Amino acid sequence: MSLNLDHVTLTYPDGDGRLTALDDVGLDVPAGSITAVVGPSGSGKSSLLAVAATLITPDSGRVVVDGVDTAGLSRTELTTLRRSRIGIVFQQPNLLPSLTAVEQLQVMAHLDGRSPRAARPRALELLDAVGLRDRAGSRPHQLSGGQRQRVNIARALMNDPVVLLVDEPTSALDHERGAAVIDLITELTHRRATATVLVTHDRTHLTAVDQVAEVHDGRLRVPARA
Ligand code: ADP
Ligand code: MG
């Protein structure tokens, strides 16, 4: 139950050449722990998450999810792995406007080939875990930004992921609500034993994380703990 990146290099086409977005990156995230990834805009943080999420295949290196080397998997197998093992929280919640909070979560069960109706109790339990049990019937426009981000986090946990990847979840929130969202992610990481990567540009939230990795120009550095 963990996430490992080993010698991962990723380039994008850039004019006549290639731009190196990730340069020989190695990262180990054990189950039940949270690694923060910090770095300036354009340093490669979202690329790192996209590779860890198996949404982008790196030029070289290995991405191992829950002991499975993803390089050996077909496109279909990758989709299944993503739906069943990886929870992704993007910067913007991207909730479906016409669905209630509980339905946003039930859709995930449906995508994973399970009955949305049977998944309803679990969806309600997760909404409870993020403090939104009483908003289960609310649509996105009836929720605040912080509440929408909580639905987004609950949705990412719907299929019991091994790996939880979170990209700047607090960027649209004020400081207090941002801190509450980080606390929630930390608590859920420990309770559900996910291997969590949290990208953030705000270092003030990082007191509770297990390790902080810094990215500069695609190179990742994990300073040793004092
Ligand atoms: P961050 O999330 O830290 O802001 P990104 O991972 O989004 O950084 O981007 C890293 C670098 O890769 C940047 O120079 C960015 O312009 C470039 N980049 C990101 N996505 C693409 C893409 N799809 N095609 C080409 N270049 C990209
Ligand atoms: Mg980014």
Side-chain angles (χ1 to χ4, degrees):
M1 294 271 286
S2 60
L3 169 70
N4 318 97
L5 304 189
D6 191 24
H7 293 297
V8 167
T9 293
L10 172 72
T11 65
Y12 295 114
D14 180 34
D16 293 337
R18 313 278 304 177
L19 180 148
T20 302
L22 296 174
D23 188 358
D24 196 24
V25 165
L27 183 66
D28 285 320
V29 185
S33 78
I34 178 159
T35 295
V37 174
V38 298
S41 179
S43 57
K45 303 183 298 298
S46 293
S47 298
L48 176 70
L49 281 198
V51 165
T54 76
L55 291 167
I56 304 181
T57 304
D59 299 41
S60 59
R62 298 194 325 146
V63 177
V64 182
V65 174
D66 198 17
V68 176
D69 185 346
T70 60
L73 302 183
S74 69
R75 198 176 275 262
T76 315
E77 288 169 329
L78 280 179
T79 304
T80 304
L81 176 89
R82 264 197 308 277
R83 284 184 184 153
S84 60
R85 301 291 170 89
I86 302 177
I88 307 175
V89 179
F90 289 114
Q91 227 157 329
Q92 296 301 325
N94 290 321
L95 300 176
L96 297 162
S98 63
L99 298 188
T100 64
V102 69
E103 288 166 352
Q104 311 277 349
L105 273 62
Q106 288 174 273
V107 165
M108 299 307 285
H110 177 66
L111 288 174
D112 199 32
R114 290 178 288 120
S115 150
R117 185 182 297 206
R120 191 174 172 90
R122 165 144 180 87
L124 291 171
E125 178 208 316
L126 277 170
L127 286 178
D128 193 33
V130 300
L132 287 179
R133 178 64 184 83
D134 59 337
R135 305 312 300 268
S138 301
R139 294 176 211 284
H141 74 271
Q142 298 167 314
L143 299 171
S144 69
Q147 289 172 332
R148 284 198 287 270
Q149 194 55 287
R150 282 167 184 271
V151 174
N152 195 15
I153 291 164
R155 180 175 61 176
L157 293 169
M158 191 58 195
N159 294 339
D160 255 324
V162 170
V163 170
L164 181 62
L165 305 170
V166 190
D167 198 352
E168 308 215 24
T170 64
S171 55
L173 305 178
D174 64 35
H175 185 80
E176 195 178 328
R177 289 196 176 80
V181 163
I182 302 294
D183 284 349
L184 175 65
I185 290 166
T186 308
E187 180 205 323
L188 292 168
T189 296
H190 294 145
R191 195 135 48 89
R192 297 183 180 266
T194 54
T196 300
V197 181
L198 168 70
V199 165
T200 180
H201 58 267
D202 187 352
R203 281 178 169 273
T204 62
H205 292 314
L206 299 184
T207 48
V209 305
D210 296 289
Q211 69 180 344
V212 178
E214 296 171 4
V215 209
H216 285 279
D217 293 335
R219 297 199 129 256
L220 188 88
R221 206 171 68 91
V222 184
R225 288 252 146 170

